[in-house]
Amino acid sequence: MIDFNIPPFTGKELEYVKQAVDAHKICGDGQFTKKCNAWLEQHFHAQKVLLTTSGSSALDMAALLCGIQPGDEVILPSFTFSSTANAFVLAGAALVFVDIRPDTMNIDETKIESAITQKTKVIVPVHYAGVACEMDTIMDIARRYGLKVVEDAAQGVMSYYKGRALGTIGDFGCYSFHETKNYSMGEGGALVINDCNYNDAAEILREKGTNRSKFFRGQVDKYTWVDFGDSYLPSDMNAAYLLAQLEVAEEINQNRLETWNAYYKAFHPLEEKGIIELPTIPKDCVHNAHMFYIKLSCLEERTRFINFMREREIWCVFHYVPLHSAPAGLKFGRFQGQDNWTTKESERLVRLPLYYNLTKENREFVIKSVKEFFGEI
Ligand SMILES: *Cc1c(COP(=O)(O)O)cnc(C)c1O
């Protein structure tokens, strides 16, 4: 059997978790959390990074820090995970979905401007598959209209746009360290804060509305409840698990890229013949091999494909059901403009198994099976 995903495990995780336990420090913001924050800040040249309990909670924090008020509008793609939308709905915003580009499956930056109204506050580009959105255009629009940009970089850890790490370009960036992502702590995430004016507010929001972080740094002599907040700190045990992976991030990245490149090379002839479509990586983007997908001709062919692979015990999955047609999407949002690609492309896309240390043997079996399905062997 070939799983769709196996969470990364590199060897030092349990040793580090034990160290956290032995240090009698398993709540949040212990030494491992601090090391993870520092690692992310240094490697991605980020002004400030705070580990959170999930990618979703990093998005929640970003929405609140943007000062979303009931009635505000947020522009986002419909082709994304529910968390991208939830964060802003919880803060009281209405969702305005715009279409994606078929080449990267990312928000179509040329459709954003016509979705802006008096109520628009935030644009949320989602870097699908760890391939960057067209950030120069998006940042230019945001600046011209005075909007905030929250990057959903849940899939984009170790990806770059024009040399800049994803998550560090907008006002805020949100990473996920869920077990399905490239680097994992089971459940977890991080908020990247790119404007230092938000550092204090973010710490307070994350620490139950208290100024406890300042207290521990000796900047105030007592700590107290200063604003609304919640608890977005992960346990240091989880951070310990993540640190082990960040320390070998380049190795994990190379390993995933090797699988990705092998798939691409093997399926390129099928694309040449017009049988399938493969992902596009624009020239300004360095990606992290978060996923490998192919696009088939239609929903019916995709269903046959998934069943065919399942008979060989190879697990392939599809996503997303576009948010604008989901029950909550109908309730909380509207689609601006034409749905030229979102629905059509989401019905054709299927993801192949890709995880750290997928064996060469299994990879070759996946490749052979895909070719067999198309009668190209
Ligand atoms: C995984 C993911 C999230 C949510 O991350 P969690 O850590 O699971 O909460 C948000 N947005 C996108 C695009 C994701 O892929």
Side-chain angles (χ1 to χ4, degrees), residues 18 23 29 47 60 73-74 102 105 161 209 264 282 290 299-300 307 311 335 360:
K18 186 171 183 307
D29 282 347
Q47 184 268 145
D60 291 347
E73 290 181 355
V74 169
M105 305 295 284
Y161 171 80
Y264 193 92
H290 173 62
L299 179 59
E300 185 273 327
N307 291 337
E311 278 165 24
F335 198 96
K360 190 161 180 250

Side-chain angles (χ1 to χ4, degrees), residues 54-56 59 80-81 83-84 126 152 154-155 176-178 181 188 320:
S54 64
S56 302
L59 284 158
T80 182
F81 190 53
S83 299
T84 319
V126 179
D152 183 339
Q155 303 175 3
S176 170
F177 301 115
H178 185 262
K181 302 302 201 284
Y320 304 98

Side-chain angles (χ1 to χ4, degrees), residues 296 299-312 314-318 349-351 373:
L296 288 78
L299 179 59
E300 185 273 327
E301 187 182 48
R302 182 180 74 180
T303 307
R304 276 197 292 117
F305 175 84
I306 291 173
N307 291 337
F308 179 91
M309 298 296 271
R310 189 170 298 165
E311 278 165 24
R312 282 152 187 76
I314 301 170
W315 299 93
C316 299
V317 305
F318 63 84
L349 182 146
V350 63
R351 299 172 60 182
F373 177 81

Side-chain angles (χ1 to χ4, degrees), residues 50 61 65 193 198-214 217 224-233:
L50 296 172
M61 285 185 72
L65 290 166
I193 303 160
Y198 287 95
N199 289 358
D200 286 355
E203 281 182 354
I204 289 164
L205 177 63
R206 181 167 167 274
E207 266 276 26
K208 299 99 179 166
T210 72
N211 56 355
R212 192 173 146 127
S213 301
K214 269 196 165 158
R217 285 196 298 265
T224 185
W225 184 35
V226 291
D227 208 338
F228 68 82
D230 206 331
S231 184
Y232 296 112
L233 301 73

